[in-house]
Amino acid sequence: MKKFTLCSLLLLSSVIFWRCEDDFQSSMKLGDFSFMLDTTTWKVPVDGGRDYRVIEAPGDWTVKIQYPEGTTDKWVKISDTTGSFGKYKLTLVAGANTSYEFAREASLVFSSGEQTETMKIYQPTPIGAVVKQDTYNVEAGDTVIKVEFTVNVPYDYSISDNAQKWIIPVLGKAVDNVTLQFQILASNRSRERVGTITIYPEGGEAVPVTVTQAGASELIEYPIYEETDLRGNVSFVKNSDGSMDAWFLRSTPMKFQSEPHMYNKTGWWYAVTDNTNNAHWGKDAYDLGSGPIALKFYASTAFNQLCYMGSGSCTFTLYPWDTDYATSMAKTPVFQKTMTYDGGWAYPTGAGEYLPAGNYLAVVEGSAGNSVMVTTNEPDDEVWAYANGASTKKFLALSYEVYFQNPGVEFDNFNAYDFSAMVKAHSADGQSWDEPEFVFTANNAMLSQRDNLGYANNMAIAKVGSDYFMALSHDENGIWMAKSANGKDNWEILGDKSILESGKVVSMFINDAMIYLYFQVGSDIHVATTSAGSSDWYTTLKDNGSVLTVPSGVGGVSVVYNANISKYQILYSQSDVISSYVADAGTDKFEAGDIVVDGTRAGATQVGYFTNEAGIVPDEAKTWVGYQYSRGLIAMPL
């Protein structure tokens, strides 16, 4: 019954509709009226749409769609294109305009007999941008990509936070307002990395462009130092001129018997390697009236009783060696003494007057008639000579005694004190590194406190105000502070006791006028802080307690303020991966952070960022890390 009723209603509806149209048509007479179109325009929405138009025709009619010349996209559809006398409702359909460059236009031309009517159709462009390519897959090496896009409104763009250090805008090199260029820095990761460039058209939707860079098959690394005698942590510094330094402590050898200048099995070192007929004591007299005679020499261990042979009076000056003769002569001397001797041995330093391992320049000057003993000798990697400032083979017959632990035994069993030596490696660009240079005044200061710092194995350096400070420790036996006016010379220990009674140095830096000294006690990383306002700030450091308990199996840690991420950050190494902990404040508990380097050489320990002189990682496009591994030190750009 329900089905029947519905059919009846439908039949009734159809009849009513037919009658309305029949009545309308029957009331019209052919030729009684002009051709009529209810509207003459249609503005189509950007997304397209459907609309209806009514025409009244006095007779047969047609409609044609006309497009501007060159149009290939026939984007307007109409339900009927022909008809006869009467009134008609036509359906118009248009698709979305996907072009961000061109609005679309068309015309509908209706004709009936001699009469025509035209309807203009217009569709605007969408507001926004469209990219030619939305995905870039690049290799691990350095490259440049061009992001081409069409945009019809003002726009901006951004680079995702995780990629701002390796996707770099090439400023001033845009081809036009729809092409942006980006340098993709070489990857130093073993895994791929993904970043996003997002274009923001004003009033439109954001358009993402994904950049995926393959991982490096070989990590980009630069050896700093390729020896195995490092002790403890390293301070990596990026200087204001872009050059880089790596400060670290290395051990001096306990065994020295195989050194070429230690040939006579007495524990005495000789500059002259020929000991035939005591030639190592000097064969010829050199008259000081000919100008100063000088000897550059390397002492691998701490030593005393520096001596030579001569006759008369002279001035003996010992300099720390630096680069070349002229540079060394300009440095502050280790000491300068007036010597008077009668042809025997002269001792500028006596027994017990110890000097640290390092490179030195000994210079003897005097007037005519005063002489020193020399022997013609070939220079080697450790010793060479100068006469009146010019290279010579006339070697001053210099000698010294090694600082022994057990001088009463046979020579083969001698053990030197293997004290720590502070050295600094330097690089102009982070890629090619000079041979590390001994930091004489720091080493001399540590030797003067050898009961506490002779075997120092942890250090940190930072510039506070106009001075440089170095925190030093041996294991967890307390922390000492040293100071230098220029960070190169004249390091001196501050006070006669440690500034903190226990703990070993981890890191030190200054941020927002506060000094942070991180140190390790057992498995806990502590932080001591104080204001940087006074010159003796190191006397007011306050331990704020532990900020992190170092997990088992973690290598040496370092702490920085990282301006790139606006957080305090701890780096650590584990399983050949460098990872991080982060905190919003330097005294807060640190929480697990991101992986920084996901592949290092085997056995990586003692990791750290290259920081500025204040100990902060600056907000720069390119950051570097350094780390120690089983065969030396590595610098790595990120």
Side-chain angles (χ1 to χ4, degrees), residues 498-519:
S498 60
I499 59 170
L500 294 173
E501 293 183 357
S502 63
K504 65 178 181 180
V505 175
V506 172
S507 297
M508 180 171 64
F509 57 85
I510 177 172
N511 186 42
D512 289 337
M514 288 292 293
I515 295 170
Y516 297 81
L517 174 59
Y518 291 85
F519 59 100

Side-chain angles (χ1 to χ4, degrees), residues 8 22 66 68 84 106 122 274 320 330 336 408 452 494 505 516-518 542 547 575 586 604:
S8 299
D22 183 62
Q66 295 182 349
S84 58
Y122 172 80
D274 177 12
Q336 186 175 78
N452 300 299
L494 297 173
V505 175
Y516 297 81
L517 174 59
Y518 291 85
K542 176 187 176 183
V547 295
S575 302

Side-chain angles (χ1 to χ4, degrees), residues 176-253:
D176 51 40
N177 70 335
V178 292
T179 301
L180 295 173
Q181 295 190 74
F182 298 89
Q183 182 182 11
I184 310 301
L185 298 182
S187 175
N188 202 25
R189 298 162 55 101
S190 58
R191 302 187 184 100
E192 71 175 25
R193 57 185 178 184
V194 180
T196 304
I197 301 164
T198 304
I199 299 166
Y200 299 97
E202 188 176 289
E205 294 185 0
V207 180
V209 176
T210 302
V211 180
T212 302
Q213 186 177 38
S217 56
E218 293 184 7
L219 297 177
I220 301 171
E221 299 176 322
Y222 303 101
I224 299 173
Y225 181 67
E226 296 181 286
E227 299 291 344
T228 59
D229 56 1
L230 285 86
R231 280 182 171 163
N233 63 351
V234 183
S235 278
F236 300 102
V237 180
K238 186 175 183 182
N239 302 307
S240 57
D241 62 359
S243 65
M244 298 182 181
D245 294 324
W247 298 72
F248 56 95
L249 293 155
R250 41 150 290 199
S251 61
T252 55

Side-chain angles (χ1 to χ4, degrees), residues 363-382:
V363 182
V364 184
E365 300 173 274
S367 57
N370 299 285
S371 62
V372 293
M373 299 305 294
V374 298
T375 297
T376 299
N377 201 84
E378 291 295 327
D380 56 32
D381 291 340
E382 298 180 358

Side-chain angles (χ1 to χ4, degrees), residues 222-436:
Y222 303 101
I224 299 173
Y225 181 67
E226 296 181 286
E227 299 291 344
T228 59
D229 56 1
L230 285 86
R231 280 182 171 163
N233 63 351
V234 183
S235 278
F236 300 102
V237 180
K238 186 175 183 182
N239 302 307
S240 57
D241 62 359
S243 65
M244 298 182 181
D245 294 324
W247 298 72
F248 56 95
L249 293 155
R250 41 150 290 199
S251 61
T252 55
M254 182 178 291
K255 290 295 185 181
F256 52 87
Q257 284 83 347
S258 62
E259 293 182 16
H261 293 269
M262 299 292 307
Y263 49 79
N264 68 348
K265 297 188 176 182
T266 62
W268 284 81
W269 177 96
Y270 294 96
V272 177
T273 51
D274 177 12
N275 67 344
T276 305
N277 297 322
N278 291 330
H280 55 304
W281 294 351
K283 292 177 62 176
D284 305 307
Y286 175 84
D287 193 304
L288 294 174
S290 300
I293 189 80
L295 188 81
K296 182 271 171 190
F297 68 97
Y298 167 62
S300 65
T301 67
F303 63 97
N304 68 160
Q305 300 200 78
L306 187 64
C307 59
Y308 61 96
M309 294 187 74
S311 178
S313 297
C314 73
T315 299
F316 185 99
T317 308
L318 186 68
Y319 296 92
W321 174 260
D322 185 353
T323 311
D324 54 36
Y325 180 85
T327 304
S328 302
M329 290 284 286
K331 294 182 74 70
T332 301
V334 177
F335 64 79
Q336 186 175 78
K337 293 183 178 180
T338 299
M339 307 293 297
T340 301
Y341 41 90
D342 57 4
W345 288 101
Y347 289 85
T349 65
E353 295 181 290
Y354 296 106
L355 290 170
N359 286 298
Y360 294 89
L361 179 68
V363 182
V364 184
E365 300 173 274
S367 57
N370 299 285
S371 62
V372 293
M373 299 305 294
V374 298
T375 297
T376 299
N377 201 84
E378 291 295 327
D380 56 32
D381 291 340
E382 298 180 358
V383 185
W384 54 87
Y386 300 90
N388 206 22
S391 295
T392 183
K393 292 184 179 180
K394 295 179 180 180
F395 273 34
L396 176 67
L398 195 70
S399 182
Y400 66 73
E401 183 187 37
V402 169
Y403 189 4
F404 303 119
Q405 295 187 48
N406 52 350
V409 299
E410 293 292 326
F411 174 74
D412 288 345
N413 296 322
F414 279 175
N415 289 331
Y417 281 100
D418 54 335
F419 292 130
S420 297
M422 175 73 66
V423 296
K424 181 181 73 172
H426 180 77
S427 172
D429 56 8
Q431 300 180 25
S432 178
W433 288 81
D434 298 335
E435 185 73 18

Side-chain angles (χ1 to χ4, degrees), residues 233 249 452-453 455-460 471-481 497-507 517-528 541 543 545-546 557:
N233 63 351
L249 293 155
N452 300 299
L453 295 174
Y455 295 92
N457 51 9
N458 287 88
M459 56 82 63
L472 293 159
S473 65
H474 173 214
D475 293 335
E476 295 185 15
N477 298 323
I479 297 172
W480 295 68
M481 191 67 68
K497 63 179 182 179
S498 60
I499 59 170
L500 294 173
E501 293 183 357
S502 63
K504 65 178 181 180
V505 175
V506 172
S507 297
L517 174 59
Y518 291 85
F519 59 100
Q520 187 166 349
V521 179
S523 297
D524 289 322
I525 304 298
H526 287 239
V527 59
L541 284 164
D543 184 1
S546 174
V557 303

Side-chain angles (χ1 to χ4, degrees), residues 484-495:
S484 167
N486 59 14
K488 299 177 181 178
D489 304 313
N490 304 319
W491 286 100
E492 58 178 346
I493 301 294
L494 297 173

